[in-house]
Amino acid sequence: EDQVTQSPEALRLQEGESSSLNCSYTVSGLRGLFWYRQDPGKGPEFLFTLYSAGEEKEKERLKATLTKKESFLHITAPKPEDSATYLCAPTDSGYALNFGKGTSLLVTP
Amino acid sequence: NAGVMQNPRHLVRRRGQEARLRCSPMKGHSHVYWYRQLPEEGLKFMVYLQKENIIDESGMPKERFSAEFPKEGPSILRIQQVVRGDSAAYFCASSRDTNTEAFFGQGTRLTVV
């Protein structure tokens, strides 16, 4: 059975303290891996799509990378507004996303 | 350009009643997906639809749940004879094509009392 594990479950950072979130997956025949952020009470907000090992995408303070077994979301100099739950979702079908449980990030001033 | 619209945002139903959740995809999107998020659990895929067709319903419970995406109007997720275990947040997403970014609505939070 396909599995997705995100670590850590929760992360507390000081503003400006860079870190990385991990997403390990065992999805066979990966067609893509998606990153979303979710704020409390809201729907997931799309961040990135990665399609092949070695690919990297950047957006503001976020950078996502992909290997054959895991993906990392690097957060550089985070701000309090980056506080959210970050979800990764690999897919082997191209449409049914296998969401992990997420990493809950809190950035304090 | 409006995003994915779901309504209602909150729905309370008594055990045994029916729940109807509606989703209007983003303009230009013909692919619709429904997900369920139980407390303390991740989002789980339920069903994938295109206009008038169910493409994959492998994540749908076999009984009481159904989905449609008619030629005109929103996609509907219907839950008959709701039970307490159906209480969850139900999210709809839409995309222009498969294996491209899917955009999510704000969800419908169903509470069964």
Side-chain angles (χ1 to χ4, degrees):
Chain A
E1 182 179 308
D2 295 339
Q3 289 199 0
V4 185
T5 304
Q6 291 191 245
S7 61
E9 288 186 13
L11 181 63
R12 184 181 180 123
L13 298 173
Q14 291 272 9
E15 184 172 3
E17 179 186 2
S18 301
S19 188
S20 294
L21 313 182
N22 178 262
C23 170
S24 297
Y25 62 91
T26 57
V27 171
S28 57
L30 183 77
R31 294 194 61 189
L33 186 142
F34 296 77
W35 280 97
Y36 288 83
R37 68 169 277 168
Q38 187 174 24
D39 293 296
K42 296 193 174 182
E45 176 188 339
F46 172 76
L47 293 174
F48 302 108
T49 311
L50 301 166
Y51 291 105
S52 57
E55 189 175 0
E56 298 182 352
K57 294 263 179 85
E58 284 189 70
K59 179 181 178 181
E60 297 181 355
R61 296 176 293 282
L62 300 176
K63 178 181 176 180
T65 61
L66 180 65
T67 72
K68 288 187 177 180
K69 293 184 177 180
E70 55 192 352
S71 179
F72 293 92
L73 185 65
H74 308 277
I75 303 177
T76 302
K79 298 182 177 183
E81 53 261 42
D82 294 323
S83 298
T85 296
Y86 289 84
L87 305 169
C88 81
T91 178
D92 57 358
S93 66
Y95 57 83
L97 304 181
N98 299 291
F99 279 93
K101 292 187 177 181
T103 293
S104 177
L105 174 66
L106 176 64
V107 182
T108 57
Chain B
N1 186 14
V4 177
M5 304 300 292
Q6 289 188 250
N7 64 80
R9 291 293 309 277
H10 300 274
L11 182 62
V12 179
R13 284 288 177 266
R14 295 186 182 278
R15 282 178 295 171
Q17 290 185 321
E18 177 179 291
R20 290 171 70 88
L21 288 61
R22 289 176 291 277
C23 168
S24 295
M26 285 181 67
K27 186 177 180 180
H29 288 190
S30 60
H31 302 256
V32 167
Y33 319 88
W34 286 93
Y35 288 80
R36 177 165 64 175
Q37 189 170 38
L38 293 166
E40 307 305 319
E41 292 193 20
L43 285 151
K44 300 296 183 187
F45 167 78
M46 298 180 74
V47 62
Y48 161 39
L49 310 103
Q50 293 184 30
K51 283 287 187 182
E52 300 184 275
N53 290 303
I54 297 174
I55 308 301
D56 184 344
E57 57 183 348
S58 59
M60 288 270 275
K62 292 291 183 279
E63 298 179 351
R64 303 187 297 107
F65 285 71
S66 62
E68 62 178 13
F69 188 16
K71 186 176 181 181
E72 301 291 337
S75 176
I76 305 287
L77 180 67
R78 182 183 178 202
I79 311 172
Q80 295 178 288
Q81 299 176 319
V82 296
V83 300
R84 288 232 172 95
D86 297 331
S87 296
Y90 291 83
F91 290 95
C92 168
S94 73
S95 67
R96 192 175 299 278
D97 203 346
T98 58
N99 215 32
T100 61
E101 56 267 30
F103 295 90
F104 282 78
Q106 296 301 306
T108 293
R109 278 142 188 88
L110 172 66
T111 302
V112 180
V113 297

